[in-house]
């Protein structure tokens, strides 16, 4: 068995893959593959409706929040969010906490004014900024709830007198938070929701229609809401994979049940790293992520040796992002406690035999 710690696309539950396999051959007994059916057939329309309803249920969303499955990844949302929310003479505030916020800043500046309210760039983004105050004079405040590359996470939702917008690509559905406190949430599906190709957007519809620009219909959230997330051909298979993963999460007991497991996985791995003489974590303790554990070897020779060793032990996807180096183990919802324990035992075994 391979233990997959990939950052995204990432591990999927085995039962989700088995269900998907069936649907590729014969979708819901139709005799057609999920890859062949028309998106406007009741069989698929009910899948989209169920996926949207499951998101609403799992996140406990109120009636003002709409759930959409769109194309283009979280990266398209860096552009689509300001296009829908920010007029040219208005300001959005943003917490700059890594590579993804940098892209959000760049894209938003095409549409309006961007103010970097706080940043952790001075220390290679290894912490979450604390000393800032969100001004009332802004259109919205944007955060990246979990920084996939640097392994930091907002453990407290910041107070904001203006609408909160979050890129939750890498920690959505992983912990109990008040999702209704956000006016807009977006997430590429390939980390905690399903597979690449679908993007989840949750938006408070009261926020929409407040810009003067003429928004191209395909970029306009209101058009997607009206069309029940079927404005054009949606990413049919990717949405179906999201549905299967959402069903799996519900069966597991929802966010309430997965959160303690996610905490346990992260605590065990951080503990092993903290108690190791060969490895150390890169993120500030209070801010480290339960989803992406980034760590480095204290000795550069050990780095390659550990990667080779881990590979022999069926560990996949732990090479760190090039901007941080070292290692990163992504512990998304679908990654089992067993896999994490295996990784820990491999770390310990490597350490005891290492004399480089
Ligand atoms: C992966 C990731 C993205 C990019 O998502 P795409 O689907 O590749 O566009 C953006 N933000 C965060 C926090 C991510 O983890």
């Amino acid at each position: 068995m391979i233990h997959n710690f990939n950052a995204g696309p990432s591990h999927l539950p085995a039962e989700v893959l088995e269900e998907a396999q069936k649907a590729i051959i014969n979708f819901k007994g139709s005799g057609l593959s999920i890859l062949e059916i028309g998106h406007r057939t009741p069989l698929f329309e009910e899948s989209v409706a169920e996926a949207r309803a499951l998101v609403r249920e799992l996140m406990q969303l109120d009636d003002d929040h709409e759930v959409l499955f769109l194309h283009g990844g979280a990266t398209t949302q860096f552009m689509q969010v300001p296009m829908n929310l920010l007029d040219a003479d208005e300001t959005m505030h943003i917490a700059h906490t890594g590579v993804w916020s940098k892209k959000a800043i760049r894209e938003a500046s095409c549409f309006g004014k961007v103010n970097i309210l706080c940043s952790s760039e001075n220390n290679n983004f290894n912490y979450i900024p604390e000393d800032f105050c969100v001004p009332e004079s802004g259109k919205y405040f944007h955060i990246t709830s979990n920084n996939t590359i640097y392994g930091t996470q907002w453990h407290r939702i910041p107070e904001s007198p203006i609408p909160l917008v979050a890129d939750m690509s890498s920690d959505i559905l992983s912990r109990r938070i008040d999702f209704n406190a956000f006016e807009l949430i977006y997430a590429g599906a390939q980390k905690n929701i399903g597979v690449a190709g679908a993007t989840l957007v949750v938006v408070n519809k009261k926020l929409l229609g407040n810009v003067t620009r003429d928004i191209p219909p395909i970029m306009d959230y209101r058009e997607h809401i009206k069309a029940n997330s079927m404005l054009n051909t949606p990413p049919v298979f990717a949405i179906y994979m999201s549905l299967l993963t959402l069903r799996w999460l519900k069966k597991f007991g929802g966010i309430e049940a997965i959160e303690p497991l996610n905490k346990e996985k992260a605590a065990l791995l951080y503990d092993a790293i903290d108690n190791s003489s060969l490895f150390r974590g890169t993120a500030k303790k209070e801010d480290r992520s339960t989803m992406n554990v980034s760590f480095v070897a204290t000795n550069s020779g050990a780095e390659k040796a550990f990667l080779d060793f881990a590979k022999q032990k069926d560990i996949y996807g732990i090479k760190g992002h090039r901007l941080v180096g070292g290692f990163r183990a992504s512990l998304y919802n679908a990654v089992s406690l067993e896999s994490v324990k295996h990784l820990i035992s491999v770390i310990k075994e490597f350490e005891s035999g290492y004399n480089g």
Side-chain angles (χ1 to χ4, degrees), residues 28 38 108 114 133 140 179 205 210 221 225 314 322 324 337 353:
K28 293 183 180 168
V114 178
C133 185
Y140 59 92
F179 293 104
K205 58 188 174 220
N210 286 321
Y221 295 127
I225 293 169
D314 293 331
R322 64 187 186 283
V324 185
L337 183 60

Side-chain angles (χ1 to χ4, degrees), residues 171-321:
D171 70 347
I172 194 155
L173 304 172
S174 73
R175 55 173 172 164
R176 275 171 304 166
I177 55 171
D178 179 8
F179 293 104
N180 293 308
F182 295 84
E183 310 297 310
L184 195 152
I185 295 166
Y186 59 92
Q190 67 273 26
K191 283 134 188 175
N192 247 343
I193 307 172
V195 299
T199 314
L200 178 70
V201 173
V202 170
V203 59
N204 185 334
K205 58 188 174 220
K206 289 189 171 155
L207 201 65
L208 303 175
N210 286 321
V211 287
T212 55
R213 87 172 45 82
D214 193 15
I215 304 170
I218 192 63
M219 285 291 126
D220 192 330
Y221 295 127
R222 290 169 302 177
E223 297 292 332
H224 287 281
I225 293 169
K226 250 191 267 167
N228 286 320
S229 224
M230 299 264 266
L231 188 56
N232 66 331
T233 312
V236 171
F237 185 61
I239 293 175
Y240 186 65
M241 290 302 287
S242 298
L243 170 60
L244 295 179
T245 312
L246 292 162
R247 276 187 191 155
W248 169 84
L249 180 57
K250 181 175 172 179
K251 200 167 128 198
F252 191 87
I255 298 177
E256 205 173 66
I258 207 92
E259 180 183 34
L261 180 65
N262 286 333
K263 281 191 173 157
E264 185 183 356
K265 290 184 301 190
L268 285 174
L269 182 53
Y270 281 121
D271 195 53
I273 293 166
D274 289 344
N275 287 309
S276 146
S277 54
L278 264 187
F279 301 103
R280 67 173 173 79
T282 58
K284 185 177 162 198
K285 268 193 186 175
E286 307 87 273
D287 299 329
R288 54 198 190 182
S289 164
T290 55
M291 293 282 104
N292 309 98
V293 175
S294 63
F295 57 106
V296 292
T298 47
N299 144 353
S300 63
E303 200 163 299
K304 184 172 179 318
F306 180 64
L307 278 178
D308 291 342
F309 187 74
K311 198 171 164 189
Q312 284 166 26
K313 301 282 177 182
D314 293 331
I315 288 175
Y316 177 81
I318 58 156
K319 191 166 167 44
H321 192 280

